[in-house]
């Protein structure tokens, strides 16, 4: 079993929809949680970064962490065609150095 | 606008040849990561460095892969000999500390025939 599981999609939504992207993980030691966005043929870029449980909002993006369920989510409100990309979740432990990535969810927002 | 740079951006080579990929991390970042990305496996960590010292290269096939940081502005990943299964996109990322975020380069697309 992988440390981080992510539904690969693909996910296709109409412009303006609310998008929900999710990851589950198995290691309760993970404390730092990140979402990266990767456009086609580009490197991943950091979108959101949270520590431990709770919510974090940045514009149209909201990241949620539920450590009791080992479940993290990224919500995109008022989705735009420019949001079309692959979204990867990542996490790491309080100690130790390795980042664990999900395989990514491909999102297409249709105008 | 500081960014991680990688060269070459694309590489096509024949099985058995040596491949060297280079990365220039963002100035001031003390951690450098090498990843490999494929459709099947996603992003896999190959190795990472802190202050130029290798911390973990357990994700790397030791018999053919090697990673070094000859100085703070250059990280290299070598494959010798290369095999078709090494075909992937190789990303370098750097960060100010290990637990904070990483900034990815544009990647090197490697095709081994």
């Amino acid at each position: 079993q992988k440390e981080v599981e992510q539904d690969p999609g693909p996910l296709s939504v109409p412009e303006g929809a609310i998008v929900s992207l999710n990851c589950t993980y198995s290691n309760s030691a993970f404390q730092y949680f990140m979402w990266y966005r990767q456009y086609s043929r580009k490197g991943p870029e950091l979108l959101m970064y949270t520590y431990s449980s709770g919510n974090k909002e940045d514009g149209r993006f909201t990241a949620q962490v539920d450590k009791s369920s080992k479940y993290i989510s990224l919500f995109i409100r008022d989705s735009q065609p420019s949001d079309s990309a692959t979204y990867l979740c990542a996490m790491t432990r309080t100690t130790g150095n390795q980042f664990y990535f999900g395989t990514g969810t491909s999102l297409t927002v249709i105008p | 606008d500081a960014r991680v740079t990688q060269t070459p951006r694309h590489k096509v080579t024949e099985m058995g040849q040596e491949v060297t990929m280079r990365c220039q991390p963002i100035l001031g970042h003390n951690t450098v990561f090498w990843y490999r990305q494929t459709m099947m496996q996603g992003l896999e960590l190959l190795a990472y460095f802190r202050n130029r010292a290798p911390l973990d290269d357990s994700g790397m096939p030791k018999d053919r892969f090697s990673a070094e940081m000859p100085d703070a502005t250059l990280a290299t990943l070598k494959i010798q000999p290369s095999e078709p299964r090494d075909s992937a996109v190789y990303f370098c990322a750097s960060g100010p500390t290990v637990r904070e975020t990483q900034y990815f380069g544009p990647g090197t697309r490697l095709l081994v025939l």
Side-chain angles (χ1 to χ4, degrees), chain A residues 2 32 34 36 38 41-44 46 49 88 92-99 101-103, chain B residues 9-10 33 35 37 40-41 43 45 48 50 55-56 91 98-102 104-106 109:
Chain A
K2 285 191 173 183
Y32 297 83
M34 290 135 282
Y36 285 81
Q38 185 175 20
R41 306 183 79 83
K42 301 286 187 183
L46 180 70
Y49 171 70
L88 301 111
T92 186
R93 296 187 290 266
T94 302
T95 58
N97 306 289
Q98 187 170 354
F99 280 68
F101 281 84
T103 51
Chain B
R9 294 294 309 276
H10 301 88
F33 301 79
Y35 290 93
Q37 188 176 43
M40 293 300 295
Q41 298 296 327
L43 265 174
L45 178 68
Y48 66 89
R50 185 193 299 166
L55 287 190
D56 188 346
F91 287 105
V98 172
R99 286 197 296 275
E100 289 184 19
T101 186
Q102 305 166 52
F104 283 78
R109 290 183 173 273

Side-chain angles (χ1 to χ4, degrees), chain A residues 26-74:
Chain A
S26 55
N27 192 334
S28 59
F30 287 142
Q31 293 281 359
Y32 297 83
F33 304 92
M34 290 135 282
W35 285 96
Y36 285 81
R37 176 175 63 196
Q38 185 175 20
Y39 291 115
S40 180
R41 306 183 79 83
K42 301 286 187 183
E45 58 178 330
L46 180 70
L47 207 54
M48 299 285 284
Y49 171 70
T50 56
Y51 170 70
S52 195
S53 285
N55 293 359
K56 185 174 183 178
E57 189 173 319
D58 184 1
R60 297 184 294 109
F61 299 90
T62 299
Q64 280 187 355
V65 176
D66 182 349
K67 293 191 71 182
S68 62
S69 301
K70 297 190 182 69
Y71 189 86
I72 68 171
S73 300
L74 177 71

Side-chain angles (χ1 to χ4, degrees), chain A residues 38 41-45, chain B residues 3-6 9 23-24 26 33 89-94 102-108:
Chain A
Q38 185 175 20
R41 306 183 79 83
K42 301 286 187 183
E45 58 178 330
Chain B
R3 61 184 66 187
V4 176
T5 58
Q6 289 185 248
R9 294 294 309 276
C23 166
Q24 182 172 15
I26 293 173
F33 301 79
V89 182
Y90 290 81
F91 287 105
C92 174
S94 72
Q102 305 166 52
Y103 297 85
F104 283 78
T108 294

